[in-house]
Amino acid sequence: MILKDNFTSKRPVEIGIFEMRRHIPILYTFSKICKTNNTNVTIFTTKELFSRLKSYMGEKDRKNYNIVLKRDTENIFSFMKRVETICNKKIDVLFINTIHETILDLIYYLKFNPKSKTILLIHHVNAWMKPRLIFNIKHPIRTIDTNLSSTLIRKFIFPKFDAINVIYYPLKDHIRANTDYEKEIFTLPTSIFENVKTTEGQKEDGKLRIVIPGLIQEHRKDYSAVFPAFENLFEKYKGKIKLYVIGLPVAKFGKQVYNRFKDMWQKGCDIVIFDHFVPDEIFDDILIKSDIILAPIRIKTRADSDIEEIYGITVGSGIIFNAIQYAKPIFVPAEFNMLPDLESSTLKYSDSQELEKIVTELISDSVKLKGLKKEAMNNSHKFSLKNLQDYFEKNILTWLNEY
């Protein structure tokens, strides 16, 4: 193991970041945080994901990283074997960003044993920290997959990792208080505030622009308060409000939500909605010009497995980090466990009436909106690249040296 004194050594620390599935913002964020004067960073990913990552990174920035891509002639097993070989030769610590809690994903990791230290990003705490058998006669195939996956996680996969990372640091408190996990827990987030994705002041047309980002998916979002609130708001304040819904509709639920928003648009409501994946540049542009984010988070959820998770307690929400990245105030359900860092730029609603009331106040009170935006900017600065790199050096590099 490399010994370091105040993070200096004869050679840089070699960091690997492995992403095969989909979390491009996390891949970008971790790459930026981990690349310091004292490190080299190697990114292991696919050609498809790298093509999207390039839109986040400038060409000059990309030269700071070693890129290892899955070849067209390789299957996943052979690619992972090549990653393992590279790790054994040069990588000191490997971040594994996404493992879905399904048999199809977990089976790839049974024989994946790099000699480097490994840190697993935990997206769903209960699935990994409290795997258990479930019984759901309505979904027998899913039940079988969840039970087999839980067994693999508990006995074969999870014990391999030397530490974990959770993107939402209240999850760390929950793990310490509710599990017997004794290894290190880090809290690198999914977004950096880079102070380039912001705009100042109201738009010329004076409209309040509200955006709901992210997949339109049943286990992620609850629109039960959104529809009645905005049906009334558009009726009362036509020309003063605009709503962007920027996420791919997923499955039957997503299509139903899309159709209802489309019906509102056909009736004259100022709504922008997509029936397809929203390209990164369009997503970015809409977030920049919006005034406030609406996060209708479904508090109790199930994702890859059939094990229940709780947003804000056992699983983090990417929308919260959209608020950080773009320095935007945010609406969340009253029961959501919000990051303390963002409390002063957060508005909470318990039902459609309260949501409607809060939006009405923002439409009529530009001073309040301006104050919220100022707080959002101040809060986002807490997640600057410098602050997060300081955390990385003081926590992860120190851990690596002492391991």
Side-chain angles (χ1 to χ4, degrees):
M1 181 51 58
I2 303 167
L3 297 178
K4 296 167 70 69
D5 180 18
N6 294 325
F7 307 112
T8 60
S9 68
K10 293 182 179 180
R11 70 169 178 87
V13 179
E14 296 289 342
I15 309 293
I17 306 174
F18 185 40
E19 177 59 75
M20 280 200 310
R21 290 309 180 197
R22 60 190 180 86
H23 288 105
I24 302 303
I26 300 177
L27 181 55
Y28 170 74
T29 298
F30 281 20
S31 301
K32 292 282 288 187
I33 293 172
C34 293
K35 183 66 187 81
T36 71
N37 292 332
N38 308 306
T39 65
N40 290 326
V41 175
T42 299
I43 298 172
F44 302 98
T45 190
T46 67
K47 291 180 180 179
E48 293 78 13
L49 294 182
F50 183 63
S51 67
R52 289 187 57 200
L53 180 64
K54 289 192 292 186
S55 68
Y56 285 73
M57 291 180 174
E59 184 175 349
K60 182 179 179 181
D61 198 19
R62 293 199 298 273
K63 294 179 180 178
N64 292 326
Y65 305 99
N66 303 312
I67 309 296
V68 177
L69 301 179
K70 178 179 172 295
R71 298 167 182 151
D72 294 338
T73 56
E74 288 179 311
N75 58 34
I76 294 177
F77 285 107
S78 58
F79 176 54
M80 291 181 68
K81 190 63 179 177
R82 184 158 62 95
V83 172
E84 181 180 297
T85 300
I86 295 171
C87 288
N88 292 344
K89 290 180 179 179
K90 63 172 288 186
I91 299 298
D92 295 306
V93 60
L94 177 69
F95 288 86
I96 296 180
N97 283 2
T98 307
I99 303 179
H100 292 154
E101 298 93 28
T102 66
I103 288 294
L104 290 177
D105 226 34
L106 289 166
I107 200 168
Y108 295 124
Y109 291 86
L110 285 174
K111 293 186 178 181
F112 185 66
N113 296 297
K115 295 177 182 178
S116 59
K117 301 305 176 189
T118 52
I119 301 175
L120 173 65
L121 175 54
I122 296 288
H123 295 269
H124 306 111
V125 168
N126 285 343
W128 283 92
M129 312 295 287
K130 292 185 175 182
R132 58 186 179 83
L133 298 180
I134 59 100
F135 300 94
N136 187 340
I137 60 174
K138 293 182 179 180
H139 302 285
I141 295 177
R142 187 181 175 102
T143 296
I144 293 170
D145 187 75
T146 296
N147 289 338
L148 290 174
S149 297
S150 293
T151 301
L152 284 181
I153 286 172
R154 183 176 64 255
K155 292 186 176 182
F156 302 106
I157 308 297
F158 193 47
K160 293 183 178 186
F161 296 96
D162 300 297
I164 62 173
N165 187 84
V166 291
I167 64 171
Y168 197 78
Y169 65 76
L171 273 62
K172 178 178 178 178
D173 298 333
H174 176 82
I175 292 169
R176 290 301 189 208
N178 295 277
T179 76
D180 59 359
Y181 187 75
E182 296 180 348
K183 296 180 183 179
E184 288 292 332
I185 304 174
F186 302 113
T187 56
L188 292 182
T190 65
S191 292
I192 305 166
F193 178 63
E194 298 182 278
N195 206 27
V196 296
K197 297 180 180 297
T198 60
T199 55
E200 294 293 333
Q202 282 278 16
K203 312 302 177 294
E204 290 184 3
D205 59 12
K207 290 183 181 181
L208 176 68
R209 286 169 161 78
I210 299 174
V211 58
I212 306 176
L215 296 174
I216 305 175
Q217 198 166 14
E218 189 170 13
H219 75 265
R220 297 179 187 274
K221 296 190 177 72
D222 178 3
Y223 297 87
S224 60
V226 174
F227 286 118
F230 279 87
E231 284 168 352
N232 290 337
L233 286 164
F234 279 117
E235 183 177 349
K236 295 176 182 178
Y237 300 101
K238 188 174 183 179
K240 294 185 178 181
I241 186 171
K242 189 178 187 77
L243 178 65
Y244 298 90
V245 184
I246 51 172
L248 172 70
V250 178
K252 181 180 179 180
F253 174 84
K255 189 65 175 178
Q256 289 172 341
V257 170
Y258 169 81
N259 286 336
R260 187 158 178 184
F261 278 123
K262 183 179 179 181
D263 182 62
M264 291 173 65
W265 171 75
Q266 290 174 334
K267 292 178 179 177
C269 299
D270 196 352
I271 295 175
V272 175
I273 189 167
F274 297 81
D275 62 357
H276 55 270
F277 173 79
V278 181
D280 294 324
E281 60 273 16
I282 295 177
F283 185 94
D284 191 60
D285 179 66
I286 291 175
L287 260 297
I288 289 172
K289 66 186 181 186
S290 294
D291 296 300
I292 189 166
I293 291 172
L294 172 56
I297 297 166
R298 184 178 298 279
I299 303 302
K300 292 185 177 181
T301 184
R302 287 179 172 82
D304 296 330
S305 73
D306 219 16
I307 296 174
E308 184 176 85
E309 308 284 353
I310 302 174
Y311 268 113
I313 296 178
T314 71
V315 59
S317 172
I319 300 183
I320 306 306
F321 293 97
N322 291 147
I324 292 169
Q325 182 181 2
Y326 296 91
K328 301 296 181 182
I330 187 169
F331 299 104
V332 297
E335 61 268 45
F336 180 73
N337 183 31
M338 189 52 156
L339 281 176
D341 308 75
L342 303 186
E343 287 287 353
S344 63
S345 55
T346 298
L347 299 170
K348 293 192 172 185
Y349 65 92
S350 57
D351 53 31
S352 64
Q353 290 83 6
E354 189 168 14
L355 177 58
E356 181 182 344
K357 178 183 177 183
I358 296 171
V359 174
T360 297
E361 290 174 354
L362 294 180
I363 291 172
S364 59
D365 190 346
S366 60
V367 174
K368 181 176 182 178
L369 179 60
K370 185 176 180 180
L372 281 169
K373 288 183 174 182
K374 183 178 180 180
E375 287 297 316
M377 179 66 72
N378 292 337
N379 291 338
S380 287
H381 276 287
K382 302 170 188 175
F383 296 83
S384 68
L385 179 59
K386 180 183 183 303
N387 288 344
L388 295 178
Q389 286 186 330
D390 285 346
Y391 171 87
F392 167 73
E393 291 196 331
K394 292 175 183 177
N395 291 272
I396 296 177
L397 291 189
T398 297
W399 165 80
L400 184 61
N401 288 333
E402 294 175 349
Y403 199 93

